[in-house]
């Protein structure tokens, strides 16, 4: 079986990437740029819009983006971009901002696809997306900088995943001068979620040598830097941005597993964010998968800084890996339980079916049953 690695067009890391962006746009011929932004990051937004103004580029800002990248938000952004007659898109932020930006840039260059709902699955487009420049101002989801984007069909209460190489961003910018921590608790939860995505990419059935390499790099960086980054350490924040990039390569070119499938389904059905849903269920899913992961829990434990004997038995190093993750969550003061969430019997049945249909459930190292899903859902209710 052949494997592939899909990455972004150009990636810029470290401080001062706005200079690189200026070089990208000053002779580009762009006349109208559509900006999709998270309103929390006004400082970054002002710097970017000021640079556009200096280059005499007309721009419009769309910041009405909800927690989930809903189809209705995507349609509203697309209509606004069409009204502007945008010839490029800029994304400022992460998570839903990134998802919607990729969908909009792709739909603008493929007008025959009339509705974002039709993007579900693989490669529905004929043309490359119009140029998309992505600025990451905080830690986001594993797939943010990739060709994958996940939208929410709110009418069906389900997620639709789109994977299209035509949606690859022209350039992504991980700039520590633009990055900030608007909410320490939110950052900690996002960091924990990113670690989980790295682990799931490592253990899933479709992982392979190169995706394992990037997943383990991410696990090590996240373990070493998340706590310092949550306290505002600039170097640690920079390392977390690198970790997000590594996780993205592992996730979108390898895959994920049960916890990801469950969290996406929970978010769509109940409105709990993916990051907040995945943390309290992960220990259970990690214990569930342990015996089906070969030596990979040993790699997890070692890259999280645990001392593991070369002669350690699987039962021992698997327990060490799970303990290391628990310790990491505790250090970040990540809540173990989502409070005030009530799941009705109808919701449980609905979520169960969506989890079973999710491709990441199929990629889980151990077969997932309805009973196991029910047991996991009890952890957040």
């Amino acid at each position: 079986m052949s494997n592939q690695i899909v990455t972004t067009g150009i990636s810029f890391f470290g401080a001062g990437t706005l200079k690189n962006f200026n070089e990208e746009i000053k002779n580009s011929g762009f006349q109208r740029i559509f900006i999709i932004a998270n309103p929390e990051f006004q400082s970054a937004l002002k710097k970017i819009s000021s640079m556009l103004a200096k280059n005499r580029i007309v721009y419009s800002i769309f910041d009405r983006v909800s927690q989930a990248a809903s189809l209705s938000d995507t349609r509203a952004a697309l209509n606004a971009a069409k009204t502007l007659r945008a010839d490029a898109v800029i994304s400022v932020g992460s998570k839903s901002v990134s998802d919607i930006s990729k969908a909009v840039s792709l739909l603008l260059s493929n007008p025959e696809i009339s509705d974002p709902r039709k993007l579900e699955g693989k490669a529905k487009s004929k043309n490359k997306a119009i140029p998309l420049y992505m600025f990451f101002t905080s830690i986001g989801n594993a797939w943010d900088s990739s060709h994958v984007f996940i939208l929410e069909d709110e009418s069906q209460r389900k997620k639709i995943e789109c994977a299209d190489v035509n949606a690859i961003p022209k350039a992504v910018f991980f700039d520590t001068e633009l990055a900030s921590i608007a909410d320490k608790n939110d950052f900690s939860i996002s960091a924990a979620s990113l670690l989980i995505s790295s682990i799931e990419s490592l253990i899933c059935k479709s992982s392979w040598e190169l995706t394992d390499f990037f997943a383990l790099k991410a696990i090590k960086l996240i373990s070493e830097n998340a706590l310092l980054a949550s306290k505002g350490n600039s170097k640690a924040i920079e390392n977390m941005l690198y970790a997000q990039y590594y996780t993205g390569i592992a996730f979108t070119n390898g895959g994920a597993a049960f916890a990801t499938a469950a969290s996406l389904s929970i978010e769509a059905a109940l409105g709990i964010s993916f990051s907040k849903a995945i943390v309290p269920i992960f220990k259970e899913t990690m214990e569930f998968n342990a015996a089906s992961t070969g030596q990979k829990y040993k790699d997890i434990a070692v890259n999280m800084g645990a001392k593991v004997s070369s002669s350690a038995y699987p039962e021992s190093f698997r327990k060490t890996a799970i303990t290391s993750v628990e310790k990491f969550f505790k250090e970040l003061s990540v809540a173990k339980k989502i409070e005030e969430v009530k799941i009705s019997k109808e919701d449980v049945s609905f979520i169960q079916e969506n989890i079973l249909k999710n491709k990441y459930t199929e990629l889980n190292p151990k077969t997932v049953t309805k009973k196991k899903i029910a047991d996991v859902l009890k952890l957040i209710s």
Side-chain angles (χ1 to χ4, degrees), residues 22 58 97 199 206 248 285 323 326:
N22 189 60
V58 175
V97 169
I199 292 173
S206 54
T285 60
T323 301
E326 284 189 290

Side-chain angles (χ1 to χ4, degrees), residues 40-160:
E40 290 181 0
F41 299 98
Q42 287 297 316
S43 176
L45 190 56
K46 286 178 181 178
K47 289 178 181 178
I48 293 166
S49 58
S50 175
M51 187 165 288
L52 295 179
K54 287 179 182 178
N55 282 279
R56 299 182 179 179
I57 297 174
V58 175
Y59 65 90
S60 176
I61 299 173
F62 182 90
D63 60 4
R64 303 187 304 279
V65 178
S66 59
Q67 171 184 283
S70 67
L71 290 179
S72 58
D73 283 348
T74 305
R75 293 181 185 117
L78 177 63
N79 289 335
K82 286 180 177 178
T83 299
L84 180 66
R85 292 179 292 125
D87 46 22
V89 175
I90 293 175
S91 168
V92 183
S94 59
K95 298 183 180 179
S96 58
V97 169
S98 300
D99 289 321
I100 291 174
S101 297
K102 281 180 271 190
V104 168
S105 62
L106 190 62
L107 290 166
L108 286 173
S109 64
N110 291 275
E112 72 281 1
I113 304 175
S114 58
D115 194 309
R117 183 68 180 80
K118 296 179 181 180
L119 293 172
E120 183 174 14
K122 292 185 178 180
K124 296 299 195 305
S125 64
K126 296 178 181 178
N127 307 312
K128 288 186 178 180
I130 69 169
L132 170 61
Y133 299 92
M134 307 187 77
F135 287 88
F136 293 99
T137 52
S138 62
I139 300 301
N141 292 323
W143 57 89
D144 279 357
S145 62
S146 74
H147 65 295
V148 173
F149 53 101
I150 300 176
L151 305 175
E152 182 170 309
D153 184 342
E154 59 269 52
S155 65
Q156 299 294 318
R157 297 170 68 204
K158 63 176 288 188
K159 296 287 185 177
I160 61 172

Side-chain angles (χ1 to χ4, degrees), residues 291-308:
S292 302
T293 55
Q295 296 287 309
K296 288 192 172 181
Y297 275 37
K298 184 176 184 179
D299 295 332
I300 293 167
V302 170
N303 279 276
M304 292 191 72
K307 292 183 179 180
V308 181

Side-chain angles (χ1 to χ4, degrees), residues 250-269:
F251 183 99
T252 55
N253 293 283
F258 174 33
T260 298
S263 302
L264 288 171
S265 300
I266 291 166
E267 180 179 56

